Amino acid sequence: MVKIGNTFSKYGKKAVLCGSGELGKEVAIELERYGVEVVALDKYADAPAMHIAQKSHVLSMLDGEALRKVILEEKPDYIIPEVEAIATPELIKLEKEGFNVIPTANATFLTMNREGIRRLAAEELGLPTSKYEFAQTEDEFKAAVGRIGCPCVVKPVMSSSGHGQSVVHDETEIDKAWKISQEGGRAGGGKVIVEGFVKFDYEITLLTVRHSGGTAFLEPVGHHQVDGDYRESWQPQYMTPTAKAQAQDIAKKITDALGGYGIFGVEMFVRGDEVIFSEVSPRPHDTGMVTMISQDLSEFGLHARAILGLPIPEVRFFGPSASKAIVVEGDTDSYEFENLEKVVEEPGVQIRLFGKPEIRGHRRVGVILATDESVEKALAKAERAYSKLSVKVD
């Protein structure tokens, strides 16, 4: 029996969000719909989820001692990692002490580190993956590139959203790729994965929900990335029945191995009927922001529902939809969106502005959502809306 008391009472529920960006903000909103108290953590003040959380703390979540101090102070019913850069060994200790880490502390530990999840997928579960090697030093890295061959993809084992990622097209780019990997990792320099380049027709995120009633798969999400960072996504991505069944089988195997309740973003490459596992995130996925307009329950609503132990008997898909990230370049703590009335003048267009406190370099600060009769029309509509938006950066 699931019970939730009134907020702030002895029967109330409390969740600590480890990561308070735009994805964490949507999770916080969905949890608060159920009366759950939300405490938002991030490494900087005024992060998006902090705007609507009842309480917040600023700390480096890679600092295990600081993270433990906050958890012991707040005594949450749920610890919800929303970013990769967390002291996962501390989460494992906290879970052993009785705290509920979503989906599990081990899942967070394995997926924060590309080595852990790749070895689980390829070596333990036997899932199809690209060729890969890990390298700790520059010499090991150069040797790994030599064995894998060019072109190849280089990623820090601890990173996300394309940070530290690059493609080595030929041997002249090896030194540059190593430098990028060491400067862009979420936890600083260190081990990298060198992956053989996969020739694919398209790539997908298969959002998979483990909940009290079983496992549910959403319509496949196609997406376009720039240097490993999401720029636009659409739903549904057409797949052959054979490929779709294979993708669901892969997603079921990897999420069952990770365990717990919540939404998982399973990334895969598709070539005809062949599906190749790439990565998995045990939390809402940025490409899944399209579900805020495509479904009756977004990936964030599904995550909240699963976390609370509630079943998900149905996910109602409305129709072809698209999202386009609003990415801005600059160095400022003051910026302004203009022409918003033009952005949303077409039917079937929505916009979300994240409220991030500053821009340093390039940063995703919002997303445009669109629906139409087909994916192609939805993407074109999102692009038209984006072209009307102006962002003034001081």
Side-chain angles (χ1 to χ4, degrees), residues 72-84:
L72 294 181
E73 175 187 334
E74 296 294 345
K75 297 180 176 60
D77 298 281
Y78 314 98
I79 300 172
I80 307 175
E82 287 299 311
V83 295
E84 289 82 0

Side-chain angles (χ1 to χ4, degrees), residues 200 202-206 208 223 239 246-248 250-251 266-270 275-279:
F200 56 88
Y202 54 90
E203 54 185 322
I204 66 165
T205 304
L206 186 59
T208 303
H223 50 87
M239 304 179 72
Q246 186 181 353
Q248 291 181 351
I250 289 172
V266 187
E267 296 181 69
M268 292 173 267
F269 301 112
V270 185
V275 181
I276 301 168
F277 172 81
S278 176
E279 296 180 1

Side-chain angles (χ1 to χ4, degrees), residues 4 7-8 12-20 24 27-32 34-41 49 52-57 70-71 74-82 99-102 303-304 307-308:
I4 302 175
T7 314
F8 306 125
K13 300 293 186 182
K14 181 189 289 189
V16 165
L17 284 179
C18 296
S20 297
V27 172
I29 291 170
E30 295 294 344
L31 286 170
E32 289 180 4
Y34 292 96
V36 176
E37 177 186 355
V38 175
V39 180
L41 313 184
I52 51 93
Q54 285 90 346
K55 194 174 180 181
S56 64
H57 299 268
V70 168
I71 296 301
E74 296 294 345
K75 297 180 176 60
D77 298 281
Y78 314 98
I79 300 172
I80 307 175
E82 287 299 311
F99 288 97
N100 182 12
V101 180
I102 304 300
H303 196 45
I307 287 168
L308 297 175

Side-chain angles (χ1 to χ4, degrees), residues 287-306:
T287 63
M289 283 193 282
V290 67
T291 62
M292 290 191 284
I293 198 169
S294 67
Q295 303 178 171
D296 63 334
L297 289 169
S298 72
E299 63 169 341
F300 310 104
L302 292 167
H303 196 45
R305 195 158 169 165

